[in-house]
Each structure stands twice: as structure tokens, then as C-alpha cells.
Amino acid sequence: MTTKSVLALLATGGLLAATSAQAQTKPEDTEVWKPTPPVVAPATTSGGPPSDAIVLFDGRDLGQWVSAQDRSPASWTVADGVLTVDKARGNIETKRAFRDYQLHLEWRIPADITGAGQARGNSGVFLASTGPRDQGYEVQILDSYDNATYVNGQAASVYKQHPPLANASRKPGEWQTYDIVWRAPVFDAGGTLAAPATVTVLHNGVLVQDHAVLAGETVYIGKPTYKAHGSSPIKLQAHGDPSAPISFRNIWVRELAPR
């Protein structure tokens, strides 16, 4: 194609664009009025639940939680508005099952924590629990303020899959926040994966997972894989490391429309 021909094509394209722009002569032509988004009243305090949230723990009781092992009432310790892990009683999970959601939770490593690496304030939040033990998709909880470990196992990692984009950890004894957007995997009628799970995480207000695509469920050894499942509980881990148990407060979730 000659230079003259290219210039002629460009000129024609510009003329068509100009004609299209002239056809829309009013700003109203590009205004959308319906449907209107639902009204959600934000919390009156920072980090509090908005009006459409399901409060999972407000400091009073564990009415929204059960033992992940046998679905009996959850029996971790609740005192002074704080939920503390009872390692002897195992993992707990929500009574309700969820699909896609926005999750807020706050957690604290004990100020006098001991140990090193993975044996220092270890816990986790499983965004979809697919079994009573550590089955599902885990965002790691750990003291990573001044504690070296493998980066895809430090705080705010998608455990053994995605290291965090930054280490936003506060020192032990201080409360920390996770704000998480979870999009569950989609499976077709035959159980084949149609769309992988994704997760976005803000740790203490810092973006640390940016629409991370998961390769499957969390595994300690080997490569992650998917198995078909539907809506699932949210699970908190009672890790068996020898350090003092961690605590939680202010946990709420907002269900999101499917992708």
C-alpha cells in the first residue's frame, strides 16, 4: 500500500468518526439513568459494617460460627469483645455458605509472641472451606513484621501461590485489617473448571493481592488443583504451631452478585 493510500484511509476514518460525533448532539445521549444502584449506607466508623453486611463477629458471641470438624457450636474464647483461637478445638467456619463476597476482618498477633518463621502467630482465613481441616483457599495470617519466611507463606500471601505485593505488617500487639474481595471459581454442569477463582486483598489499607488468579485449592505439599464445589463457608484456622494463639474482632461480609 502506498503512502498516499494510507493517508486516504486515515482521512476517511477521521471523517467517519467526526460524522458519528456530530450525530450525538446532546449530552443526554450518553447519560444512563436506569437501573439505579442499590443504596448502601456506609458505616459510621472506619472499618465498621455497611448497612447490607452480614456481621459474623461483633465481639459478643459465636452465633454465626460452628466447628469445622463436626458442625457443632464453635467454642473458641470470646472475652472483652475479642475472639481468641483455641488450638485444641480446631478450625471454625461460618454456619452460612457464601459464593462471591467482600470480607472485612481484623486480627492481632500477641505482643509477647515467640518463635520464628511459620511457627510465629500462624493462622489463616480460608475464603471457601471445602473440608474440615485445611482444605480450601487460604490467605495466610502470620507475624511478618520482622520475621523471615518463604514469601509465598508470609502474611497476606495466597498461601503457596502468590506472595503479597508488599509487606504491610504491623508489629505484634497491634490490630491489623484484611479487606478481601473473593470471586469463587466457576464450574460447568460436568464439574469442569470454567473460570478460576480470583482474590483482591488490602492489608492495613495497602493493596497486596491485585485480582490474583488462583491455580486451585491451597496445598502444603505439591501443586494446587481444583475440584468442583458450590457455595462454601468461610473458615478460620487453628494452626498447630507452638506459639501463643492469635485473636480476631470485627468480622463482616457483603455478598456480591456472581460474575
Side-chain angles (χ1 to χ4, degrees):
M1 183 179 291
T2 66
T3 301
K4 186 175 181 180
S5 299
V6 172
L7 291 173
L9 283 173
L10 290 174
T12 302
L15 179 60
L16 290 173
T19 302
S20 176
Q22 289 169 0
Q24 296 183 355
T25 58
K26 300 181 297 182
E28 291 83 355
D29 292 337
T30 52
E31 293 174 358
V32 177
W33 286 72
K34 297 288 185 179
T36 57
V39 175
V40 176
T44 57
T45 57
S46 178
S51 62
D52 64 345
I54 299 167
V55 177
L56 298 176
F57 180 70
D58 62 2
R60 291 181 291 184
D61 59 54
L62 283 171
Q64 295 289 334
W65 299 84
V66 295
S67 164
Q69 184 63 42
D70 59 10
R71 305 291 290 177
S72 63
S75 53
W76 287 4
T77 303
V78 177
D80 299 322
V82 172
L83 170 63
T84 300
V85 176
D86 186 331
K87 297 189 180 189
R89 296 185 180 274
N91 301 337
I92 65 172
E93 64 186 21
T94 56
K95 285 182 177 179
R96 305 189 197 193
F98 300 95
R99 186 159 182 81
D100 296 355
Y101 57 79
Q102 172 191 348
L103 174 69
H104 175 92
L105 76 160
E106 300 175 15
W107 52 276
R108 181 178 64 188
I109 303 291
D112 58 353
I113 194 71
T114 59
Q118 293 289 303
R120 188 177 172 88
N122 199 324
S123 182
V125 52
F126 284 79
L127 306 176
S129 172
T130 59
R133 297 181 65 83
D134 293 342
Q135 300 98 324
Y137 311 82
E138 182 187 10
V139 172
Q140 174 75 315
I141 295 173
L142 189 75
D143 176 27
S144 291
Y145 179 72
D146 187 17
N147 177 39
T149 189
Y150 45 93
V151 296
N152 61 348
Q154 72 178 73
S157 64
V158 178
Y159 188 73
K160 286 291 185 81
Q161 294 195 48
H162 294 287
L165 300 174
N167 184 345
S169 297
R170 293 192 171 113
K171 65 178 65 174
E174 297 183 5
W175 283 101
Q176 312 202 45
T177 64
Y178 279 168
D179 288 286
I180 297 172
V181 176
W182 168 249
R183 292 293 186 179
V186 178
F187 301 91
D188 66 19
T192 300
L193 182 70
T198 64
V199 64
T200 297
V201 181
L202 282 83
H203 182 196
N204 296 325
V206 178
L207 182 65
V208 292
Q209 300 290 344
D210 187 5
H211 197 72
V213 178
L214 277 64
E217 295 191 27
T218 295
V219 289
Y220 181 50
I221 300 172
K223 298 293 186 180
T225 58
Y226 281 102
K227 62 178 182 286
H229 64 84
S231 297
S232 304
I234 298 167
K235 181 167 59 187
L236 299 178
Q237 185 185 42
H239 194 276
D241 79 275
S243 66
I246 77 162
S247 299
F248 295 91
R249 71 179 185 187
N250 191 23
I251 308 173
W252 52 263
V253 63
R254 294 181 63 243
E255 295 182 285
L256 304 176
R259 291 178 289 183

